[in-house]
Amino acid sequence: LFWRVMACGRRSGDSKRQVILFILCICLCQSGAETLRYSLPEEMERDSFVANIAKDLGVPLSQLAARKARVVSEGNKQLFRLDQSTGVLKAKESLDREEICPQSDTCTLVFKIFFENPLQLIRGEVEVRDINDNAPVFSEKEMVLKILETASPGSRFPLESAQDKDVGINGLQNYSLGPNPHFSLAIGTAKDGVKYLELVLERQLDREEQGELNLLLTATDGGSPPRSGTAQVRIVVVDVNDNIPVFDREVYEVRLAENSPLEQLVVRVTASDPDEGSNGEVRYAFTQTSERSRQLFQLNRTTGEIRVVGNLDFEESKSHKMVVKATDGGELSAHCKVQVEVLDVNDNAPEIALTSLTASIPEDAPPRTVVALFSVRDRDSGDNGRTECSSDGDLPFSLTPTFDNYYELRTNAALDRERTAEYNITITATDWGKKRLSSRESIFVQISDVNDNPPEFTQEVYTMSVTENNSPMLRIGRMKATDADAGKNARVNYTLVRQEGKEQPEVSINAENGDVYILRPLDYEKVRAFEVTVRAADGGSPPLSAQAVLRVVVRD
């Protein structure tokens, strides 16, 4: 790019311009590599200020409109807009972090700023900061636990956790239990960082003394001020049933392809109870399981079979964690965990997004002129999400990868409008999956004319005859020149070439169509023949021209 800029400066003959172009080239290269980073809290009003892009980039406001500056967000929804009159980047609407980035600790929105003339691409990021706008919520306002009166102190009983859509310090931080003589609360943290809680029996229960207890469970977040949610925990003291169900495994781990059909068996959980009668009959149910997992998987209460009942999507969630509760007829229960890992399959074709297109380029454009800029993305993962791009191989264009899956379509050879006036270029994006998926995008490019062809006469010498004593302004023939260019570059104008020291010629030529006229009557005894030179010039700037000889023979 440097040598092309310097060569452009040398052709212009302007050393000062050469230096300026070089500096612009360096700036373009540097700005294309930097990333602008900003942040703003969620739930700000529509058209809220994000940043002064013009000030941060050091770009004059007049250049924003002149270079067609615009902002493009990643994904299908455009969340920001650029005010070209002020250079300010604004949020197009109020941003809800929990809606944009659900189940994510950080929420970063990526956008690109595009300039034209020359083409420039700058990457930007906006972090949407969480505010404490959600209180912890229990999925059930009342939890019922049936506990044997013979349960030993120290026994633990899992409770449903609360959910808080906020993150960080604004997320769920602590639980508390209302004062009571029998139970305390134990809070733990799983390997994935999620807090879980258990009810711990501190003092022996006695059904005959008290058959039911009601406790208030409170979940609190760390916001300022903090928000909280509550649920009732109802303890039903159960008479003696001396065996609880026992699962054959504590954790069931399953791997499942995302294109698994409906009703496919995922796993069968099994718990046994040596008691007789209804005390040995086990029923299964989900507990501490998200609503989304309950929509995708169904648990048979009798057999313990878990089957697929929804459409799995690796791109939505790579894993699902469920807890199954086994309860016997005496209301004693046990728990096991089911962890389903969703395997990616190649079910998404690459997507081509055209960012910038030069619809018309001059035929004298140098090789490697940028015609279009586009991006390719594939929502699959691994080789299924890895893509490659290609274009028609027999055309004078080639693809150049830039960064972040962006490609430039450039010319790779000299163009000639007179040979080919337009191109329909097909871009093909293909992924690397075993069953390869692809998509295509057509780019139409017109080649504009430059004045690179002079007019051409159909003959080098035109011979025309006239009988003496002719009428004035007699038409005796036509000279014809054609030009392969288009528009005004192909418009031919005819003139006589005046020669110094010679008399005024006896002929005239129509400037538009080349018709030749004899101006006055001729006398064979005085002039038997004469020659003049005719020039045909096109309408280009500067014009190109050609010449031919007109020979006029006078008959007696």
Side-chain angles (χ1 to χ4, degrees), residues 189-244:
T189 303
K191 291 182 179 179
D192 57 1
V194 176
K195 284 184 170 59
Y196 64 89
L197 65 159
E198 296 174 318
L199 204 60
V200 181
L201 181 62
E202 300 289 349
R203 176 184 167 192
Q204 185 82 42
L205 296 171
D206 187 348
R207 190 189 65 83
E208 286 70 31
E209 179 181 306
Q210 187 175 6
E212 187 172 305
L213 296 86
N214 289 288
L215 310 176
L216 181 64
L217 177 62
T218 303
T220 310
D221 64 23
S224 180
R227 293 174 178 264
S228 62
T230 61
Q232 289 287 334
V233 180
R234 184 158 61 95
I235 309 296
V236 177
V237 183
V238 181
D239 214 357
V240 174
N241 174 18
D242 57 353
N243 289 287
I244 64 173

Side-chain angles (χ1 to χ4, degrees), residues 358-482:
T358 303
S360 177
I361 59 174
E363 61 178 320
D364 62 349
R368 296 193 59 75
T369 297
V370 176
V371 177
L373 177 69
F374 63 91
S375 63
V376 178
R377 75 162 186 160
D378 192 312
R379 296 193 298 131
D380 292 316
S381 66
D383 283 347
N384 294 332
R386 185 179 175 187
T387 61
E388 61 183 25
C389 256
S390 62
S391 61
D392 298 333
D394 57 345
L395 299 179
F397 299 91
S398 61
L399 295 178
T400 302
T402 55
F403 67 95
D404 279 355
N405 291 325
Y406 274 83
Y407 292 83
E408 292 177 336
L409 178 66
R410 296 174 176 263
T411 60
N412 62 7
L415 304 174
D416 187 355
R417 189 205 64 82
E418 287 71 40
R419 183 180 300 170
T420 305
E422 58 188 32
Y423 293 91
N424 193 1
I425 308 162
T426 300
I427 305 298
T428 303
T430 308
D431 62 29
W432 284 48
K434 290 183 178 180
K435 181 183 178 182
R436 306 188 74 176
L437 301 179
S438 63
S439 58
R440 290 176 173 81
E441 181 76 21
S442 293
I443 297 177
F444 183 75
V445 178
Q446 286 188 320
I447 309 302
S448 59
D449 185 52
V450 296
N451 193 24
D452 57 350
N453 291 282
E456 293 184 3
F457 280 99
T458 56
Q459 302 170 216
E460 292 184 1
V461 178
Y462 291 79
T463 301
M464 301 180 188
S465 61
V466 60
T467 303
E468 65 175 329
N469 301 321
N470 57 282
S471 301
M473 293 304 294
L474 176 65
R475 181 183 180 279
I476 61 172
R478 172 177 289 183
M479 299 180 71
K480 182 66 175 177
T482 59

